[in-house]
Amino acid sequence: MFLSLSAAGTPGAPATDLGYLLHKHPDRAQPFSTSAGTAHVFYPRADAARCTAALLLEVDPVALVRRGRGRAPDSALAQYVNDRPYAASSLLAVALGAVFRSALAGKCRQRPELPERILPLRAEVPALPARGGPALVRRLFEPLGWAVDAEPVPLDARFPEWGDSRYVRLVLEGEQRVSAALRQLYVLLPVLDGAKHYWVTADEADKLLRAGEGWLEHHPEQDLIAGRYLARRATLTRQVLERLELARLATSDDAPVEELDNAVPDEQPGSAEEHTGTAGARVVQAPGASAGGGPGRPPSPAEAGEPTVPAAREADVAHPGLPAGAEAPAGPARAHEGPSAGHGHDGAGAPGVPPVRDRTADRAHRPGHAAPPTGPSLAEQRRTAVLAALREAGAEQVLDLGCGEGRLLAELLGDGRFTRITGLDVSVRALQAARRRLRTDRMSERQAARITLLHGSLVYTDTRLTGHDAAVLSEVVEHVDAPRLPALEHAVFAAARPGTVVVTTPNAEYNVRWETLPAGRLRHADHRFEWTRTEFRAWAGRVARRHGYAVELRPVGPDDPEVGPPTQLAVFTASPKAREAAASPTPAPREAPV
């Protein structure tokens, strides 16, 4: 197997700088032992104008057979007659990774500025198996900025009527960082071969993510690349695609991945309540960017450098009915509990309003403390109201947009009338928690066919969200940056266009009833805003008029005669004309929200 990488010199940057980047001296020929044989690195040419480094892998075919490697499924004689010693494959990729480890990592101790330099490069592979032909080679390399020459190799030049083999002579030319070029070759050589000479484990998924950092998350063929690289291991492929989507969305938002994938703590102690949604739910393999600047579980006030106050989440806020000093449960909270989720109060400020039960207060109750109030928590009341609206609408196919850890999904699965249930969220960890909660790995085939979990964005359209009877946005819109609300509205009401949309959001007027919430503070650190009843009514009416829906507003929780309910709910119902227009694409609105 043979591969060469050449760099052209430029004024002030001699081509021999390639030797520094590869950590191999141009004046030496160096052998390296690998699992498949001996790899040799040498320089056919090394001067200021041009420098070419060559990697030659001498494969030991007998050793491969003895170790059970290098077997191709092409024929019964594959272990005796095959292309493994000659054609570039995963064997060459392994040698590439072993010999040029520092170069792939973009490290250069002697010249630390060099790895970031973009150089005019030329890579050549004289014999490359390409399952998919030259067209696939171009689809894989051209999006990365390479000029691709993939010349088919004939089966036998003496008999042109036999046609071409599955091999190509590959020449790539383009301006790239050396580390990026090597990582692309490291991944795409075995992808084109379509086979690996070793067993694929979870470690391979990590290798793919490391080698693909900075380019794979934006590649249009990432599904094919991940599937082939991981030998079509479905679970590993799905996990990699989720992480790639999250990385791409984080890049587009100029935010760390951790800011997007933080809806669920790393360690999740048991909780009676759930995270019911995040701002910018993402879809696996879908285009988009996050709906906010880091939706999900935000840092604590102490972490953010703010004065420490009880966090506005049900697992963190002491029940107003408890005496001062009542012990709150330890552990991280979920992203939509507390006042935003229907945190209870003692009713002192609202005569005649029934108290709302807080599960956290139940757990925090100690002998000598006031007895916790009875009744369902507001989170339970909210789910009940949402389910009632879905049943009234006769919905059978339901989207839970911002599904979090899957509480609402579990209730939907428990009702046989809902035949197709799709949950969508920005956080990979939240989706993993939802899978655990729903026990998808233990479901019957019939039950599993009803549920789909997706990782994607609400502020970008996705065709997979079409065709549903209803969609739920439960405690989601308040996590979206205001300038992005029109994009969310378009994605849900214009592009997905379900017959019914159920939206819940906190009522800002009710905040005065939360004794633990300081004046002027929002209920959750990640909330971008909280609407009054008038503001929510105006937004709902504007969205309904723009997209051809009728809207009905309902209270959720105790309806305080002065400040209204803690949660507002809107049921949007598409008009017949809107339903007919579902197949017609609508341009995304450009104006900012009122």
Side-chain angles (χ1 to χ4, degrees), residues 37-52:
T38 303
H40 301 270
V41 177
F42 57 96
Y43 289 77
R45 176 178 176 181
D47 54 47
R50 190 165 196 83
C51 185
T52 299

mmCIF file with all atom_site columns, all heavy atoms in Angstrom, residues 37-52:
data_model
loop_
_atom_site.group_PDB
_atom_site.id
_atom_site.type_symbol
_atom_site.label_atom_id
_atom_site.label_alt_id
_atom_site.label_comp_id
_atom_site.label_asym_id
_atom_site.label_entity_id
_atom_site.label_seq_id
_atom_site.pdbx_PDB_ins_code
_atom_site.Cartn_x
_atom_site.Cartn_y
_atom_site.Cartn_z
_atom_site.occupancy
_atom_site.B_iso_or_equiv
_atom_site.pdbx_formal_charge
_atom_site.auth_seq_id
_atom_site.auth_comp_id
_atom_site.auth_asym_id
_atom_site.auth_atom_id
_atom_site.pdbx_PDB_model_num
ATOM 1   N N   . GLY A 1 37 ? 2.093  -5.013 9.461  1.00 0.00 ? 37 GLY A N   1
ATOM 2   C CA  . GLY A 1 37 ? 3.378  -5.180 8.801  1.00 0.00 ? 37 GLY A CA  1
ATOM 3   C C   . GLY A 1 37 ? 4.287  -4.013 9.115  1.00 0.00 ? 37 GLY A C   1
ATOM 4   O O   . GLY A 1 37 ? 4.141  -3.353 10.158 1.00 0.00 ? 37 GLY A O   1
ATOM 5   N N   . THR A 1 38 ? 5.185  -3.705 8.203  1.00 0.00 ? 38 THR A N   1
ATOM 6   C CA  . THR A 1 38 ? 6.150  -2.619 8.413  1.00 0.00 ? 38 THR A CA  1
ATOM 7   C C   . THR A 1 38 ? 5.795  -1.430 7.542  1.00 0.00 ? 38 THR A C   1
ATOM 8   O O   . THR A 1 38 ? 5.584  -1.563 6.335  1.00 0.00 ? 38 THR A O   1
ATOM 9   C CB  . THR A 1 38 ? 7.575  -3.086 8.076  1.00 0.00 ? 38 THR A CB  1
ATOM 10  O OG1 . THR A 1 38 ? 7.893  -4.229 8.884  1.00 0.00 ? 38 THR A OG1 1
ATOM 11  C CG2 . THR A 1 38 ? 8.586  -1.985 8.352  1.00 0.00 ? 38 THR A CG2 1
ATOM 12  N N   . ALA A 1 39 ? 5.722  -0.265 8.187  1.00 0.00 ? 39 ALA A N   1
ATOM 13  C CA  . ALA A 1 39 ? 5.449  0.980  7.465  1.00 0.00 ? 39 ALA A CA  1
ATOM 14  C C   . ALA A 1 39 ? 6.753  1.740  7.304  1.00 0.00 ? 39 ALA A C   1
ATOM 15  O O   . ALA A 1 39 ? 7.538  1.866  8.258  1.00 0.00 ? 39 ALA A O   1
ATOM 16  C CB  . ALA A 1 39 ? 4.437  1.821  8.218  1.00 0.00 ? 39 ALA A CB  1
ATOM 17  N N   . HIS A 1 40 ? 6.990  2.237  6.110  1.00 0.00 ? 40 HIS A N   1
ATOM 18  C CA  . HIS A 1 40 ? 8.199  3.004  5.810  1.00 0.00 ? 40 HIS A CA  1
ATOM 19  C C   . HIS A 1 40 ? 7.791  4.430  5.443  1.00 0.00 ? 40 HIS A C   1
ATOM 20  O O   . HIS A 1 40 ? 6.878  4.642  4.639  1.00 0.00 ? 40 HIS A O   1
ATOM 21  C CB  . HIS A 1 40 ? 8.960  2.381  4.633  1.00 0.00 ? 40 HIS A CB  1
ATOM 22  C CG  . HIS A 1 40 ? 9.372  0.953  4.867  1.00 0.00 ? 40 HIS A CG  1
ATOM 23  N ND1 . HIS A 1 40 ? 10.581 0.610  5.436  1.00 0.00 ? 40 HIS A ND1 1
ATOM 24  C CD2 . HIS A 1 40 ? 8.722  -0.223 4.606  1.00 0.00 ? 40 HIS A CD2 1
ATOM 25  C CE1 . HIS A 1 40 ? 10.667 -0.711 5.520  1.00 0.00 ? 40 HIS A CE1 1
ATOM 26  N NE2 . HIS A 1 40 ? 9.557  -1.234 5.012  1.00 0.00 ? 40 HIS A NE2 1
ATOM 27  N N   . VAL A 1 41 ? 8.491  5.385  6.011  1.00 0.00 ? 41 VAL A N   1
ATOM 28  C CA  . VAL A 1 41 ? 8.292  6.792  5.665  1.00 0.00 ? 41 VAL A CA  1
ATOM 29  C C   . VAL A 1 41 ? 9.585  7.313  5.041  1.00 0.00 ? 41 VAL A C   1
ATOM 30  O O   . VAL A 1 41 ? 10.661 7.184  5.624  1.00 0.00 ? 41 VAL A O   1
ATOM 31  C CB  . VAL A 1 41 ? 7.925  7.633  6.896  1.00 0.00 ? 41 VAL A CB  1
ATOM 32  C CG1 . VAL A 1 41 ? 7.796  9.110  6.514  1.00 0.00 ? 41 VAL A CG1 1
ATOM 33  C CG2 . VAL A 1 41 ? 6.622  7.141  7.513  1.00 0.00 ? 41 VAL A CG2 1
ATOM 34  N N   . PHE A 1 42 ? 9.469  7.895  3.859  1.00 0.00 ? 42 PHE A N   1
ATOM 35  C CA  . PHE A 1 42 ? 10.634 8.452  3.172  1.00 0.00 ? 42 PHE A CA  1
ATOM 36  C C   . PHE A 1 42 ? 10.176 9.614  2.310  1.00 0.00 ? 42 PHE A C   1
ATOM 37  O O   . PHE A 1 42 ? 8.965  9.826  2.096  1.00 0.00 ? 42 PHE A O   1
ATOM 38  C CB  . PHE A 1 42 ? 11.342 7.387  2.327  1.00 0.00 ? 42 PHE A CB  1
ATOM 39  C CG  . PHE A 1 42 ? 10.455 6.719  1.306  1.00 0.00 ? 42 PHE A CG  1
ATOM 40  C CD1 . PHE A 1 42 ? 10.425 7.173  -0.013 1.00 0.00 ? 42 PHE A CD1 1
ATOM 41  C CD2 . PHE A 1 42 ? 9.668  5.629  1.657  1.00 0.00 ? 42 PHE A CD2 1
ATOM 42  C CE1 . PHE A 1 42 ? 9.617  6.566  -0.954 1.00 0.00 ? 42 PHE A CE1 1
ATOM 43  C CE2 . PHE A 1 42 ? 8.851  5.018  0.714  1.00 0.00 ? 42 PHE A CE2 1
ATOM 44  C CZ  . PHE A 1 42 ? 8.823  5.473  -0.592 1.00 0.00 ? 42 PHE A CZ  1
ATOM 45  N N   . TYR A 1 43 ? 11.136 10.370 1.826  1.00 0.00 ? 43 TYR A N   1
ATOM 46  C CA  . TYR A 1 43 ? 10.845 11.572 1.045  1.00 0.00 ? 43 TYR A CA  1
ATOM 47  C C   . TYR A 1 43 ? 11.450 11.430 -0.345 1.00 0.00 ? 43 TYR A C   1
ATOM 48  O O   . TYR A 1 43 ? 12.662 11.588 -0.510 1.00 0.00 ? 43 TYR A O   1
ATOM 49  C CB  . TYR A 1 43 ? 11.410 12.817 1.733  1.00 0.00 ? 43 TYR A CB  1
ATOM 50  C CG  . TYR A 1 43 ? 10.670 13.222 2.986  1.00 0.00 ? 43 TYR A CG  1
ATOM 51  C CD1 . TYR A 1 43 ? 10.855 12.535 4.179  1.00 0.00 ? 43 TYR A CD1 1
ATOM 52  C CD2 . TYR A 1 43 ? 9.774  14.291 2.975  1.00 0.00 ? 43 TYR A CD2 1
ATOM 53  C CE1 . TYR A 1 43 ? 10.189 12.905 5.332  1.00 0.00 ? 43 TYR A CE1 1
ATOM 54  C CE2 . TYR A 1 43 ? 9.098  14.673 4.120  1.00 0.00 ? 43 TYR A CE2 1
ATOM 55  C CZ  . TYR A 1 43 ? 9.304  13.969 5.297  1.00 0.00 ? 43 TYR A CZ  1
ATOM 56  O OH  . TYR A 1 43 ? 8.639  14.340 6.433  1.00 0.00 ? 43 TYR A OH  1
ATOM 57  N N   . PRO A 1 44 ? 10.657 11.150 -1.375 1.00 0.00 ? 44 PRO A N   1
ATOM 58  C CA  . PRO A 1 44 ? 11.196 11.098 -2.740 1.00 0.00 ? 44 PRO A CA  1
ATOM 59  C C   . PRO A 1 44 ? 11.768 12.437 -3.185 1.00 0.00 ? 44 PRO A C   1
ATOM 60  O O   . PRO A 1 44 ? 12.700 12.490 -3.988 1.00 0.00 ? 44 PRO A O   1
ATOM 61  C CB  . PRO A 1 44 ? 9.981  10.710 -3.587 1.00 0.00 ? 44 PRO A CB  1
ATOM 62  C CG  . PRO A 1 44 ? 9.036  10.062 -2.631 1.00 0.00 ? 44 PRO A CG  1
ATOM 63  C CD  . PRO A 1 44 ? 9.239  10.755 -1.336 1.00 0.00 ? 44 PRO A CD  1
ATOM 64  N N   . ARG A 1 45 ? 11.209 13.536 -2.656 1.00 0.00 ? 45 ARG A N   1
ATOM 65  C CA  . ARG A 1 45 ? 11.714 14.865 -3.011 1.00 0.00 ? 45 ARG A CA  1
ATOM 66  C C   . ARG A 1 45 ? 11.554 15.775 -1.797 1.00 0.00 ? 45 ARG A C   1
ATOM 67  O O   . ARG A 1 45 ? 10.518 15.744 -1.109 1.00 0.00 ? 45 ARG A O   1
ATOM 68  C CB  . ARG A 1 45 ? 10.937 15.441 -4.199 1.00 0.00 ? 45 ARG A CB  1
ATOM 69  C CG  . ARG A 1 45 ? 11.350 16.866 -4.568 1.00 0.00 ? 45 ARG A CG  1
ATOM 70  C CD  . ARG A 1 45 ? 10.587 17.390 -5.771 1.00 0.00 ? 45 ARG A CD  1
ATOM 71  N NE  . ARG A 1 45 ? 10.915 18.776 -6.049 1.00 0.00 ? 45 ARG A NE  1
ATOM 72  C CZ  . ARG A 1 45 ? 10.378 19.507 -7.047 1.00 0.00 ? 45 ARG A CZ  1
ATOM 73  N NH1 . ARG A 1 45 ? 9.500  18.938 -7.866 1.00 0.00 ? 45 ARG A NH1 1
ATOM 74  N NH2 . ARG A 1 45 ? 10.723 20.760 -7.228 1.00 0.00 ? 45 ARG A NH2 1
ATOM 75  N N   . ALA A 1 46 ? 12.559 16.561 -1.523 1.00 0.00 ? 46 ALA A N   1
ATOM 76  C CA  . ALA A 1 46 ? 12.501 17.490 -0.404 1.00 0.00 ? 46 ALA A CA  1
ATOM 77  C C   . ALA A 1 46 ? 13.387 18.688 -0.693 1.00 0.00 ? 46 ALA A C   1
ATOM 78  O O   . ALA A 1 46 ? 14.608 18.649 -0.521 1.00 0.00 ? 46 ALA A O   1
ATOM 79  C CB  . ALA A 1 46 ? 12.929 16.814 0.895  1.00 0.00 ? 46 ALA A CB  1
ATOM 80  N N   . ASP A 1 47 ? 12.761 19.756 -1.192 1.00 0.00 ? 47 ASP A N   1
ATOM 81  C CA  . ASP A 1 47 ? 13.484 21.015 -1.406 1.00 0.00 ? 47 ASP A CA  1
ATOM 82  C C   . ASP A 1 47 ? 12.536 22.159 -1.106 1.00 0.00 ? 47 ASP A C   1
ATOM 83  O O   . ASP A 1 47 ? 11.370 21.949 -0.757 1.00 0.00 ? 47 ASP A O   1
ATOM 84  C CB  . ASP A 1 47 ? 14.057 21.102 -2.826 1.00 0.00 ? 47 ASP A CB  1
ATOM 85  C CG  . ASP A 1 47 ? 13.008 20.874 -3.907 1.00 0.00 ? 47 ASP A CG  1
ATOM 86  O OD1 . ASP A 1 47 ? 11.925 21.496 -3.803 1.00 0.00 ? 47 ASP A OD1 1
ATOM 87  O OD2 . ASP A 1 47 ? 13.262 20.086 -4.839 1.00 0.00 ? 47 ASP A OD2 1
ATOM 88  N N   . ALA A 1 48 ? 13.024 23.364 -1.260 1.00 0.00 ? 48 ALA A N   1
ATOM 89  C CA  . ALA A 1 48 ? 12.216 24.522 -0.885 1.00 0.00 ? 48 ALA A CA  1
ATOM 90  C C   . ALA A 1 48 ? 10.974 24.667 -1.749 1.00 0.00 ? 48 ALA A C   1
ATOM 91  O O   . ALA A 1 48 ? 9.934  25.174 -1.295 1.00 0.00 ? 48 ALA A O   1
ATOM 92  C CB  . ALA A 1 48 ? 13.056 25.793 -0.963 1.00 0.00 ? 48 ALA A CB  1
ATOM 93  N N   . ALA A 1 49 ? 11.021 24.208 -2.996 1.00 0.00 ? 49 ALA A N   1
ATOM 94  C CA  . ALA A 1 49 ? 9.889  24.357 -3.908 1.00 0.00 ? 49 ALA A CA  1
ATOM 95  C C   . ALA A 1 49 ? 8.828  23.289 -3.690 1.00 0.00 ? 49 ALA A C   1
ATOM 96  O O   . ALA A 1 49 ? 7.622  23.559 -3.788 1.00 0.00 ? 49 ALA A O   1
ATOM 97  C CB  . ALA A 1 49 ? 10.365 24.326 -5.353 1.00 0.00 ? 49 ALA A CB  1
ATOM 98  N N   . ARG A 1 50 ? 9.265  22.076 -3.411 1.00 0.00 ? 50 ARG A N   1
ATOM 99  C CA  . ARG A 1 50 ? 8.302  20.981 -3.262 1.00 0.00 ? 50 ARG A CA  1
ATOM 100 C C   . ARG A 1 50 ? 8.876  19.916 -2.329 1.00 0.00 ? 50 ARG A C   1
ATOM 101 O O   . ARG A 1 50 ? 10.060 19.582 -2.396 1.00 0.00 ? 50 ARG A O   1
ATOM 102 C CB  . ARG A 1 50 ? 7.933  20.365 -4.612 1.00 0.00 ? 50 ARG A CB  1
ATOM 103 C CG  . ARG A 1 50 ? 6.768  19.401 -4.536 1.00 0.00 ? 50 ARG A CG  1
ATOM 104 C CD  . ARG A 1 50 ? 6.207  19.111 -5.931 1.00 0.00 ? 50 ARG A CD  1
ATOM 105 N NE  . ARG A 1 50 ? 4.891  18.505 -5.849 1.00 0.00 ? 50 ARG A NE  1
ATOM 106 C CZ  . ARG A 1 50 ? 3.751  19.164 -5.695 1.00 0.00 ? 50 ARG A CZ  1
ATOM 107 N NH1 . ARG A 1 50 ? 3.771  20.481 -5.598 1.00 0.00 ? 50 ARG A NH1 1
ATOM 108 N NH2 . ARG A 1 50 ? 2.599  18.535 -5.628 1.00 0.00 ? 50 ARG A NH2 1
ATOM 109 N N   . CYS A 1 51 ? 8.000  19.391 -1.506 1.00 0.00 ? 51 CYS A N   1
ATOM 110 C CA  . CYS A 1 51 ? 8.399  18.335 -0.575 1.00 0.00 ? 51 CYS A CA  1
ATOM 111 C C   . CYS A 1 51 ? 7.333  17.257 -0.603 1.00 0.00 ? 51 CYS A C   1
ATOM 112 O O   . CYS A 1 51 ? 6.138  17.544 -0.452 1.00 0.00 ? 51 CYS A O   1
ATOM 113 C CB  . CYS A 1 51 ? 8.557  18.893 0.838  1.00 0.00 ? 51 CYS A CB  1
ATOM 114 S SG  . CYS A 1 51 ? 9.186  17.693 2.033  1.00 0.00 ? 51 CYS A SG  1
ATOM 115 N N   . THR A 1 52 ? 7.759  16.014 -0.824 1.00 0.00 ? 52 THR A N   1
ATOM 116 C CA  . THR A 1 52 ? 6.827  14.887 -0.895 1.00 0.00 ? 52 THR A CA  1
ATOM 117 C C   . THR A 1 52 ? 7.217  13.846 0.145  1.00 0.00 ? 52 THR A C   1
ATOM 118 O O   . THR A 1 52 ? 8.353  13.363 0.150  1.00 0.00 ? 52 THR A O   1
ATOM 119 C CB  . THR A 1 52 ? 6.839  14.244 -2.293 1.00 0.00 ? 52 THR A CB  1
ATOM 120 O OG1 . THR A 1 52 ? 6.440  15.208 -3.268 1.00 0.00 ? 52 THR A OG1 1
ATOM 121 C CG2 . THR A 1 52 ? 5.891  13.057 -2.344 1.00 0.00 ? 52 THR A CG2 1
#
